[in-house]
Amino acid sequence: ENVLTQSPGALSLSPGERATLSCRASQSVSSNYLAWYQQKPGQAPRLLIYGASNRATGIPDRFSGSGSGTDFTLTISRLEPEDFAVYYCHQYGTSYTFGQGTKLEIK
Amino acid sequence: QVQLQESGPGLVKPSETLSLTCTVSGGLINSDSYYWGWIRQPPGKGLEWIGSIYFDGSAYYNPSLKSRVTISVDTSNKFSLKLNSVTAADTAVYYCARRRAFDVWSPGTMVTVSS
């Protein structure tokens, strides 16, 4: 099983700041099949990034994904109030696994 | 656009079988080369992939659940999940979703395992 470890577990920032979330895989992610999701309370997750760096339809360009192999990053360039949520990474290269999540909180 | 909606009992007794159906609207489940999956989220916890099925009926399961899970494509543009021998640990919000990177999700349905 390809275990995904997200860091930090929680991040406190202010609107307008830059957020950097990390996802590390225990094995190389095949074909960089790595996705990022945003989840708000009581809602289903929303796909932000697929293939490590491709924004999903309708996702603002302040969200960007990067990385390859075992190390991946989600960057939110300038935080908006609606960006405070839990973020999950997900690899779908070999079977499917999710990271444990990073909670992005308002400072 | 494609929308997904789960349906099924919200309460299941221990040792019984949890059965959910996901109805696909706005698209045909068999017309595109898509995977269709089930994911669950215990209260206050993270996401867990249960399994996925390809449009041709090939199914793939989480190894930790494989012995208890069956996913199948039904008629009428639906696919279903069956999880047998449930315990309280199977209490969760259950989602169905499309594709390998899950781009369309259902709203989620809470299933509680309790006598």
Side-chain angles (χ1 to χ4, degrees), chain A residues 6-29:
Chain A
Q6 292 186 239
S7 61
L11 186 57
S12 294
L13 293 171
S14 300
E17 291 192 295
R18 180 185 187 91
T20 303
L21 285 65
S22 174
C23 178
R24 176 163 290 177
S26 62
Q27 307 166 32
S28 183
V29 177

Side-chain angles (χ1 to χ4, degrees), chain B residues 10-92:
Chain B
L11 180 64
V12 182
K13 290 182 168 54
S15 80
E16 295 191 345
T17 297
L18 181 160
S19 296
L20 295 174
T21 297
C22 183
T23 300
V24 179
S25 60
L28 294 177
I29 197 169
N30 291 326
S31 68
D32 297 301
S33 301
Y34 288 151
Y35 287 84
W36 304 89
W38 288 96
I39 303 100
R40 69 182 183 179
Q41 185 170 36
K45 296 188 177 180
L47 301 166
E48 179 182 34
W49 173 68
I50 300 169
S52 294
I53 190 163
Y54 197 41
F55 78 104
D56 66 357
S58 306
Y60 308 86
Y61 302 122
N62 185 324
S64 68
L65 298 170
K66 187 175 182 178
S67 63
R68 299 194 291 130
V69 175
T70 302
I71 296 175
S72 58
V73 175
D74 298 340
T75 57
S76 305
N77 231 31
K78 300 176 183 179
F79 63 105
S80 64
L81 167 70
K82 293 189 187 301
L83 179 66
N84 59 36
S85 304
V86 297
T87 69
D90 296 310
T91 293

